[in-house]
Amino acid sequence: MAKKEFQAESKRLLDLMIHSIYTHHEIFLRELISNASDATDKLYYNAMQEGKTGVTRDSLPIHISIDKDARKLTVSDHGCGMTAEELEENLGTIARSGSLAFKQQMDASEDVDIIGQFGVGFYAAFMVAKKVEVISRSEHTGEANIWVSDGADGYTISPCEKAEDGTDIILTIKDNAENENFDEYLDAYRIQSIVRKYSDYIRYPIQMEMQRSRMKEGCDPEKPEYEDYMELTTLNSMVPIWKKSKSELTDDDYHNFYKSKYYDFKDPVRHIHMSTEGAVTFNALLFIPASAPFNYYTKDFEKGLQLYSNGVLIMERCADLLPDHFNFVRGLVDTADLSLNISREMLQHDRHLKLIATNLEKKIKTELLNLLKNDREKYEEFFKAFGMQLKYGAYVEYGAHKELLQDLLMYHSSTEDKMVTFEEYVSRMKEDQKFIYYACGETAAKISLLPQMERLREKGYEVLYMTDHIDEFCVKMMRDYKEKEFKSIADGDAGLESEDEKQAVEKLSETHKDLLEQMKEALEGKVAKVQLTSRLKSHPCCLSAEGSLSLEMEKVLNAQRMGNEQEVKAERVLELNAEHPIFKKVASLSDGEKIKTYAEILYAQAQLIEGLSLEDPVAYANAVCSLLSES
Ligand code: ADP
């Protein structure tokens, strides 16, 4: 029987396991039990669907046994088992969903913490075992096979005998090393405590022969004599965690459950445990992760909650239970109102499912608001990971989810120098302030340098800094918050000038009408207008946009342009500071060519300040140099 090599990725993973310095070796057992439970779920589900009688969860225990002398630890299940092909496919290669992420992480570094991050399943056995044997009989074929590997040089698969369907995983535990004690995994009490810690909620009995002690029959109670005996003991409570009452559970219980079930290495920022009765009856256990999974912002990411019908898993990722704006939520729903045999198509239209989804959406919002109120730091951690999704949610469908989401959004504030909400902003608006001001740019630091910011600073108005691509689209879609309109500081009509100032500018514009016209002509095809403004202080010029497309939106849309799509262009307005010496200088010029050069330089500077790139930087540099070299 020829030895087969592991597939390359699997081999690297195995090497990591074998030489693991990871401190939580004990999780290998959680992984094996969880596989055993999944396999039993499959068999149980089939049996239920076929209407087999006599099959109960209690009749399908997961059995653990220890042979100290042979250094063997065995985990057996009565699950669906595997055929020879399945053994090959499942255990010879990494096929799990996280494998891609895993691969990327491995390429990035040899950091062993990936074990904690992704939960590497079956291979975790090699952290504690020098040899692993898998004896499996498939419920479909009735044939049994044995897979054997000592890790390093591959594995073999050969036919064998097995009396019942299911799988035995036999580990030969490593010998103790200098600073590692592997004997503990041959100690029944240690095994019992690991099972209780990680696998208590598993819904099949996890059983083991435990040594007990009792008074010898017939002995004198005054001089009691004891004898040892073995008793088959169920180690887990079998109550799924979501069916337990909240008072029984600690944060640790929830966190352990979350981390082992959803392969996260960080505690969630929040867990939501609800049970509802009435129009629809269900239990739900939801988690809000602290960071986004590696594929979150890609099209590979699938949203959804696990759906159970009376404790039986009927769907691994039920997308209809979560709206897109809360797609980051992980967890499960268990209800008796859905039949076990419901098809995917029927499910989509099911009234109960819709009711549950509505309930969950409300609850998630409430809990996020609570988090925001009571644990700001955690909320900000959450918002860093998923804020973009909330903003996107407020934008799509023409702002249909605005009411639901607006209070969950946060932006960096110019006056507070931290993240703030719209509610906080509005609560401290100045008496004469009409708008909620925002400014767009690459970073908060760059925005704070924008010429238009000076005016707002002088007035003491707070400005929200928007640095995500979606931001301006989102606030434009929302239009207002509590009847206060959003206004970009780049807008021509940002409402920052007094009537007097406006009149003075109008008068001045009239005086310099020809000059402004001349400058506009010099910038033919580039700007729609050249005008004077009173909203700049020390800066000579800035660029703004007329119409609905802002400069920021122009940037975003052009960056997302595909193939030969046309570039979009905002209607640009070059605004000049009427009080600035440079404008006075231009006004004193009579040479048409010179005026053209000044117009071009000012326009180029305004573009640079806005973070736009110049079409012809060389011409700009030359123009500046020629002015500088003038005597
Ligand atoms: P995961 O469980 O995340 O898919 P594993 O590496 O733990 O990854 O297991 C790989 C696959 O091997 C499983 O998906 C399952 O199909 C199969 N498998 C593992 N253990 C068992 C078992 N006890 N019974 C049946 N199939 C199993």
Side-chain angles (χ1 to χ4, degrees):
M1 174 185 41
K3 243 189 194 159
K4 296 195 183 173
E5 291 252 334
F6 284 102
Q7 175 230 29
E9 294 306 339
S10 306
K11 192 155 169 23
R12 294 188 65 190
L13 175 49
L14 263 169
D15 283 347
L16 266 176
M17 291 299 147
I18 294 165
H19 306 293
S20 162
I21 50 160
Y22 188 62
T23 42
H24 292 80
H25 286 156
E26 62 186 27
I27 58 132
F28 83 92
L29 191 58
R30 169 188 90 192
E31 301 290 323
L32 296 184
I33 290 176
S34 142
N35 282 345
S37 166
D38 289 348
T40 316
D41 269 345
K42 282 181 199 155
L43 180 126
Y44 183 67
Y45 180 80
N46 291 341
M48 291 295 104
Q49 283 225 315
E50 288 161 20
K52 272 192 194 154
T53 51
V55 180
T56 60
R57 287 226 170 81
D58 285 345
S59 70
L60 299 168
I62 295 167
H63 192 264
I64 300 180
S65 62
I66 294 173
D67 179 342
K68 270 198 173 141
D69 298 331
R71 296 191 74 76
K72 286 195 174 166
L73 175 71
T74 303
V75 178
S76 308
D77 64 61
H78 295 90
C80 59
M82 285 177 273
T83 61
E85 291 73 39
E86 285 166 335
L87 281 168
E88 167 94 48
E89 206 172 293
N90 295 334
L91 308 185
T93 57
I94 311 181
R96 55 171 307 116
S97 49
S99 64
L100 177 66
F102 186 78
K103 184 166 163 275
Q104 286 164 345
Q105 285 269 331
M106 277 212 283
D107 291 344
S109 73
E110 293 285 325
D111 188 354
V112 282
D113 208 37
I114 40 187
I115 299 167
Q117 289 192 33
F118 295 108
V120 286
F122 171 76
Y123 288 158
F126 286 98
M127 290 197 291
V128 300
K130 51 186 175 189
K131 177 173 167 195
V132 178
E133 292 156 279
V134 180
I135 301 176
S136 196
R137 193 175 107 169
S138 160
E139 71 158 326
H140 301 295
T141 63
E143 283 165 20
N145 288 282
I146 176 166
W147 179 100
V148 184
S149 173
D150 58 2
D153 18 283
Y155 57 90
T156 57
I157 298 175
S158 40
C160 68
E161 292 298 314
K162 188 175 186 307
E164 288 173 294
D165 293 340
T167 303
D168 301 333
I169 313 267
I170 306 160
L171 311 186
T172 308
I173 299 294
K174 288 182 186 176
D175 299 316
N176 282 345
E178 212 172 299
N179 42 19
E180 273 169 306
N181 171 19
F182 290 106
D183 283 355
E184 60 181 302
Y185 303 117
L186 296 166
D187 174 55
Y189 290 101
R190 176 79 173 107
I191 294 296
Q192 176 180 42
S193 85
I194 301 174
V195 170
R196 285 196 178 146
K197 180 162 170 196
Y198 296 107
S199 312
D200 188 63
Y201 63 87
I202 295 284
R203 281 157 310 139
Y204 303 94
I206 302 170
Q207 296 177 330
M208 187 167 64
E209 293 283 343
M210 298 287 288
Q211 190 174 354
R212 307 255 179 241
S213 172
R214 65 184 162 208
M215 217 189 284
K216 266 191 186 157
E217 225 173 291
C219 71
D220 177 2
E222 296 291 308
K223 284 193 224 133
E225 281 176 66
Y226 293 95
E227 62 179 1
D228 290 339
Y229 71 104
M230 301 301 280
E231 186 178 62
L232 190 65
T233 311
T234 297
L235 310 178
N236 55 329
S237 78
M238 284 189 282
V239 183
I241 177 168
W242 61 94
K243 290 244 165 116
K244 289 189 184 169
S245 84
K246 287 184 211 174
S247 57
E248 266 181 81
L249 296 161
T250 64
D251 281 353
D252 259 3
D253 292 331
Y254 287 114
H255 295 174
N256 274 334
F257 176 81
Y258 167 75
K259 287 194 282 195
S260 63
K261 189 125 175 154
Y262 300 105
Y263 303 117
D264 197 347
F265 65 106
K266 274 196 195 160
D267 287 341
V269 291
R270 192 92 173 173
H271 64 259
I272 304 170
H273 188 173
M274 45 189 308
S275 67
T276 303
E277 280 175 42
V280 60
T281 302
F282 68 94
N283 286 304
L285 185 53
L286 309 181
F287 298 93
I288 298 169
S291 53
F294 70 98
N295 65 352
Y296 183 65
Y297 287 108
T298 72
K299 62 178 180 357
D300 292 338
F301 178 78
E302 277 179 77
K303 67 168 180 171
L305 300 175
Q306 289 178 312
L307 182 60
Y308 289 82
S309 160
N310 248 343
V312 182
L313 182 67
I314 56 174
M315 200 192 262
E316 185 60 35
R317 263 181 201 249
C318 180
D320 297 312
L321 283 169
L322 284 179
D324 280 341
H325 41 265
F326 292 153
N327 67 357
F328 45 81
V329 174
R330 311 298 311 268
L332 54 92
V333 167
D334 193 351
T335 175
D337 292 334
L338 290 172
S339 121
L340 194 61
N341 297 311
I342 191 161
S343 72
R344 256 160 219 259
E345 292 69 41
M346 295 278 289
L347 200 57
Q348 273 182 355
H349 305 290
D350 189 272
R351 187 175 59 85
H352 289 114
L353 198 78
K354 289 210 167 88
L355 270 175
I356 297 175
T358 314
N359 266 292
L360 296 183
E361 185 183 40
K362 266 196 219 133
K363 182 73 178 169
I364 294 167
K365 174 182 172 176
T366 313
E367 289 295 322
L368 284 174
L369 281 178
N370 282 342
L371 188 66
L372 173 61
K373 225 182 273 156
N374 305 325
D375 194 342
R376 184 90 173 197
E377 208 177 305
K378 274 221 173 116
Y379 187 82
E380 285 187 23
E381 186 183 357
F382 153 78
F383 193 78
K384 216 174 181 175
F386 302 109
M388 184 96 92
Q389 189 64 17
L390 297 180
K391 293 172 185 172
Y392 188 71
Y395 165 72
V396 293
E397 294 171 47
Y398 302 100
H401 311 291
K402 169 187 168 181
E403 288 298 320
L404 181 89
L405 299 174
Q406 59 188 2
D407 284 317
L408 297 172
L409 303 183
M410 292 186 113
Y411 301 90
H412 187 93
S413 147
S414 63
T415 52
E416 307 297 303
D417 198 23
K418 62 174 193 194
M419 300 294 277
V420 302
T421 63
F422 292 138
E423 190 177 27
E424 287 158 358
Y425 183 106
V426 167
S427 73
R428 53 177 172 249
M429 272 171 76
K430 299 266 182 249
E431 232 161 74
D432 63 340
Q433 187 181 344
K434 260 175 61 192
F435 301 114
I436 299 177
Y437 289 105
Y438 68 88
C440 301
E442 236 176 284
T443 61
K446 280 195 183 169
I447 298 174
S448 67
L449 295 173
L450 286 175
Q452 295 96 324
M453 279 299 296
E454 280 184 310
R455 208 42 202 274
L456 285 121
R457 236 174 248 132
E458 186 186 70
K459 287 199 163 259
Y461 289 172
E462 183 173 3
V463 179
L464 300 175
Y465 289 174
M466 310 219 156
T467 49
D468 277 335
H469 281 172
I470 182 83
D471 283 337
E472 190 165 28
F473 294 89
C474 176
V475 286
K476 286 214 161 170
M477 190 58 84
M478 294 200 292
R479 296 204 39 212
D480 54 17
Y481 175 83
K482 298 209 172 140
E483 290 168 22
K484 304 282 184 204
E485 217 179 297
F486 295 112
K487 184 63 94 184
S488 164
I489 64 160
D491 273 5
D493 62 342
L496 294 165
E497 295 115 320
S498 68
E499 277 311 307
D500 288 354
E501 284 170 328
K502 270 191 204 157
Q503 275 177 12
V505 165
E506 254 168 52
K507 225 168 123 197
L508 216 56
S509 303
E510 199 46 46
T511 317
H512 295 291
K513 201 167 151 214
D514 293 343
L515 175 64
L516 295 172
E517 193 54 36
Q518 212 179 340
M519 291 180 85
K520 187 191 146 188
E521 271 163 31
L523 298 170
E524 185 67 52
K526 294 176 180 152
V527 300
K529 241 189 221 172
V530 177
Q531 68 186 28
L532 295 180
T533 179
S534 63
R535 67 195 176 113
L536 294 174
K537 279 181 56 84
S538 64
H539 286 266
C541 59
C542 71
L543 208 54
S544 65
E546 279 188 330
S548 56
L549 193 64
S550 74
L551 292 167
E552 196 58 30
M553 292 162 94
E554 173 193 299
K555 266 186 252 168
V556 174
L557 291 174
N558 286 337
Q560 291 173 349
R561 207 160 43 106
M562 304 251 254
N564 50 7
E565 270 180 82
Q566 276 242 303
E567 284 203 7
V568 296
K569 207 146 190 149
E571 298 261 315
R572 292 155 191 238
V573 178
L574 176 63
E575 300 194 33
L576 301 172
N577 182 351
E579 296 299 321
H580 198 278
I582 195 100
F583 180 69
K584 294 187 175 147
K585 172 87 198 255
V586 181
S588 73
L589 296 172
S590 51
D591 178 353
E593 272 312 299
K594 262 256 164 83
I595 294 179
K596 186 166 191 286
T597 309
Y598 272 79
E600 279 167 352
I601 290 178
L602 288 172
Y603 174 60
Q605 291 191 339
Q607 288 185 89
L608 288 173
I609 290 171
E610 272 299 323
L612 295 161
S613 61
L614 301 184
E615 275 151 40
D616 190 347
V618 177
Y620 167 68
N622 287 343
V624 173
C625 285
S626 86
L627 276 188
L628 289 176
S629 53
E630 265 179 22
S631 51

